[in-house]
Amino acid sequence: MKVKNYYKNLPHKTIERLSQYRRALLICLENGKTHIFSHEIASIQHITPVQVRRDLMLIGYSGTLRKGYNIQDLIDVISNIIDDEAGIKAAVVGMGNLGRALLKYIRGKRHKLEVVVGFDTSEDKIGKQYNGITCYSLDDLDRVVKEKDIKLAILTVPAAYSNDVADKLVKAGIKGILNYTPKPIRVPDEVYLEEYDMITTLEKVAFYIKMHQEEEEEEQQHSHDA
Amino acid sequence: MKVKNYYKNLPHKTIERLSQYRRALLICLENGKTHIFSHEIASIQHITPVQVRRDLMLIGYSGTLRKGYNIQDLIDVISNIIDDEAGIKAAVVGMGNLGRALLKYIRGKRHKLEVVVGFDTSEDKIGKQYNGITCYSLDDLDRVVKEKDIKLAILTVPAAYSNDVADKLVKAGIKGILNYTPKPIRVPDEVYLEEYDMITTLEKVAFYIKMHQEEEEEEQQHSHDA
DNA sequence: AATTTTATGTTATTTTTTTAACAAAACTTG
DNA sequence: CAAGTTTTGTTAAAAAAATAACATAAAATT
């Protein structure tokens, strides 16, 4: 059995939570904490302590019975799993409001995952610097991606172009795309694709507001009946 | 059995997909299509036709055997389920790059879900118009939310303030919060909370790129051995 | 020193979600 | 007009994810 690659069987949801745990842990570390209990992590992430312990069990990390988990150690263990040793370079493709917002969020946060360039079609933006990275023309995409060995693209172009740009990215050899465009794109199997749709999330919240509202109305109706 | 409220038992994932289906259907409608097959919807959304049919079964919508689903009808059925009849008003709280980007995305797309105001602390922004909505001071949040009957808040303030602002929103009577802040917030049970974390999504993509990469290296190793 | 409390780590169970299987219907083709 | 094809709708099975249950251990308390 290859111990080295045990994390390949980790559930997708666990991978997501590991990233979230790490972020929470980094904040705790900044605040001077050295140890943390499963129920503390759980409380931050709005989940149950059991789930935290189960995730940590899956990655083979053990805490101490009375002090909980060593924050720095746990950060290191998680980083070893989710980070690429050599680091992964990313590009923001589409430097509109969303692209620039994401860039600001990400820039400098993780040394193993760095946004190194941006792309846009607008003459105003090409050649300019944003949060310390330069914006290139989409025409130079293929060259720049190959030169800088960029593997991940954050797609934030207008929906109308999403498919064309995605094709370009694939041809340039990109390995993963995070699509923030409201239109699903099509890529070959070997390219990892994650679609995130803001409107869907928003409509979901609206739906549950509506539902909650109707439930309350119903309850009032009942108490009125009685 | 209350037929009126059957949709309260719909799986969460189905709700999400219904929103996605509708968006895809609206695009098809614009392109002049009148009918669509389950496998066409599936292909757009990167899922299986079975899942589409199952979701539509759950909402009680039937297509015709040879023509598939009537696009306009299906849009109406979905809208009846996920939209609030009276409409839900939303606010973008934090008019930075991300807030403005989301506003641009959403503005005018759904008439049953409308962003009506923005909030910010910056003097430069207060009083200004963005995509047709005015930006108010965060100090006026309570008043404006109540006056305009705003039920949903899109939280895009800097992480440091997320909890304080969330508390304000809850006090003002908000019913649902979509938190785009990289820090989880805490709200009472009666407020629906959806957290979305861009960094987690990004790190997830990076992880699967890494994994894929290692798998390929392994395969090369094997073929080298043989 | 015995008992209680509070955590962890792990197995078992339940719930949720996805996928498979297949009957029925409508159209097409030989 | 019979056989074949295609697509829906639904039930059954499988897979994934979350939750519960509980044994174990270390510290605190009585």
Side-chain angles (χ1 to χ4, degrees):
Chain A
M1 187 198 155
K2 290 167 218 158
V3 176
K4 192 192 161 196
N5 299 324
Y6 72 94
Y7 50 76
K8 299 208 166 153
N9 300 315
L10 291 175
H12 281 225
K13 293 280 181 179
T14 296
I15 296 296
E16 285 177 20
R17 282 190 298 263
L18 288 177
S19 160
Q20 288 164 354
Y21 297 160
R22 178 168 68 174
R23 206 132 28 76
L25 292 169
L26 285 166
I27 292 169
C28 293
L29 203 64
E30 275 175 26
N31 296 342
K33 268 177 89 95
T34 61
H35 289 77
I36 194 165
F37 295 121
S38 62
H39 65 257
E40 292 177 293
I41 299 176
S43 161
I44 297 169
Q45 298 300 143
H46 308 311
I47 56 175
T48 63
V50 194
Q51 193 153 58
V52 174
R53 292 205 300 277
R54 219 179 177 291
D55 285 334
L56 299 190
M57 183 197 82
L58 291 175
I59 65 173
Y61 183 72
S62 288
T64 52
L65 201 38
R66 212 64 191 189
K67 285 199 260 174
Y69 304 95
N70 180 300
I71 294 178
Q72 184 62 65
D73 281 1
L74 184 47
I75 290 172
D76 292 344
V77 170
I78 293 175
S79 297
N80 262 321
I81 292 166
I82 66 178
D83 286 346
D84 182 81
E85 209 174 334
I88 283 179
K89 291 178 188 162
V92 171
V93 185
M95 290 291 279
N97 279 319
L98 184 58
R100 295 205 303 279
L102 286 165
L103 181 57
K104 216 194 272 180
Y105 260 46
I106 303 154
R107 183 69 183 160
K109 294 270 168 65
R110 301 280 174 278
H111 51 279
K112 292 295 187 187
L113 175 53
E114 198 57 47
V115 178
V116 293
V117 293
F119 292 101
D120 208 292
T121 49
S122 156
E123 288 296 334
D124 302 345
K125 287 169 188 159
I126 295 166
K128 274 208 184 134
Q129 294 272 121
Y130 294 95
N131 285 278
I133 69 152
T134 70
C135 178
Y136 290 84
S137 165
L138 261 177
D139 295 333
D140 298 327
L141 192 143
D142 195 83
R143 181 179 58 79
V144 176
V145 165
K146 282 172 179 159
E147 269 178 22
K148 300 200 185 273
D149 192 30
I150 294 166
K151 287 188 182 138
L152 195 163
I154 301 165
L155 196 58
T156 50
V157 300
Y161 309 111
S162 55
N163 254 306
D164 290 346
V165 177
D167 288 348
K168 268 191 165 189
L169 285 164
V170 170
K171 275 195 193 120
I174 226 86
K175 302 293 182 198
I177 298 178
L178 174 45
N179 181 23
Y180 276 111
T181 287
K183 203 174 136 198
I185 59 174
R186 187 147 288 285
V187 298
D189 281 350
E190 66 271 20
V191 176
Y192 183 85
L193 173 64
E194 181 85 24
E195 308 252 7
Y196 179 71
D197 189 342
M198 305 199 164
I199 294 178
T200 288
T201 315
L202 189 66
E203 291 189 336
K204 191 179 161 192
V205 177
F207 171 79
Y208 285 107
I209 290 175
K210 169 198 175 182
M211 218 175 77
H212 205 104
Q213 211 163 243
E214 285 177 8
E215 271 167 16
E216 274 183 3
E217 277 166 23
E218 224 169 86
E219 273 171 37
Q220 284 190 342
Q221 193 58 41
H222 277 289
S223 64
H224 196 264
D225 291 350
Chain B
M1 185 199 157
K2 289 168 222 159
V3 175
K4 193 190 160 197
N5 299 326
Y6 72 94
Y7 51 77
K8 297 207 168 152
N9 300 315
L10 291 175
H12 281 226
K13 292 279 181 182
T14 296
I15 296 296
E16 284 177 20
R17 281 191 298 262
L18 287 177
S19 159
Q20 287 165 353
Y21 296 161
R22 178 168 67 173
R23 205 132 30 76
L25 292 169
L26 285 166
I27 291 168
C28 292
L29 203 64
E30 276 175 25
N31 296 342
K33 268 177 88 95
T34 61
H35 289 77
I36 195 165
F37 295 121
S38 62
H39 61 83
E40 291 177 296
I41 300 176
S43 161
I44 296 169
Q45 298 300 143
H46 307 312
I47 56 176
T48 63
V50 195
Q51 194 153 57
V52 174
R53 293 205 300 276
R54 217 179 178 292
D55 285 335
L56 300 190
M57 184 197 82
L58 290 176
I59 65 172
Y61 182 72
S62 289
T64 52
L65 202 37
R66 214 64 190 189
K67 284 199 259 175
Y69 303 96
N70 179 301
I71 294 177
Q72 184 62 63
D73 282 0
L74 184 48
I75 289 172
D76 292 344
V77 170
I78 293 175
S79 297
N80 262 322
I81 293 167
I82 65 178
D83 286 345
D84 181 80
E85 209 174 333
I88 283 179
K89 289 178 189 162
V92 171
V93 185
M95 290 291 279
N97 279 320
L98 183 58
R100 296 205 304 278
L102 285 166
L103 180 57
K104 216 194 273 182
Y105 260 47
I106 303 155
R107 182 70 183 160
K109 293 271 168 64
R110 301 279 175 278
H111 50 278
K112 293 295 186 187
L113 175 53
E114 199 58 46
V115 178
V116 293
V117 293
F119 292 101
D120 207 291
T121 49
S122 157
E123 288 295 335
D124 302 344
K125 288 171 188 158
I126 295 166
K128 274 209 184 136
Q129 295 271 121
Y130 293 94
N131 285 276
I133 69 153
T134 70
C135 178
Y136 290 84
S137 165
L138 261 176
D139 295 334
D140 298 327
L141 191 143
D142 195 83
R143 181 179 58 80
V144 176
V145 165
K146 282 172 179 157
E147 269 178 20
K148 298 198 186 273
D149 192 33
I150 294 165
K151 289 188 181 136
L152 194 163
I154 302 164
L155 196 59
T156 49
V157 299
Y161 308 111
S162 55
N163 254 306
D164 291 345
V165 177
D167 288 347
K168 269 192 163 188
L169 285 165
V170 170
K171 274 195 194 120
I174 226 86
K175 303 293 182 199
I177 298 178
L178 174 46
N179 181 22
Y180 276 110
T181 287
K183 202 175 138 198
I185 58 174
R186 187 146 289 285
V187 297
D189 282 349
E190 64 271 20
V191 176
Y192 183 85
L193 173 64
E194 181 85 25
E195 309 251 6
Y196 179 71
D197 189 343
M198 305 199 165
I199 294 178
T200 289
T201 316
L202 188 67
E203 290 188 337
K204 191 178 161 194
V205 177
F207 171 79
Y208 284 107
I209 290 175
K210 169 198 176 181
M211 218 174 78
H212 205 104
Q213 210 164 243
E214 285 177 7
E215 271 168 16
E216 274 183 3
E217 276 166 24
E218 225 169 85
E219 272 171 37
Q220 285 190 343
Q221 193 59 42
H222 276 288
S223 64
H224 197 261
D225 290 351

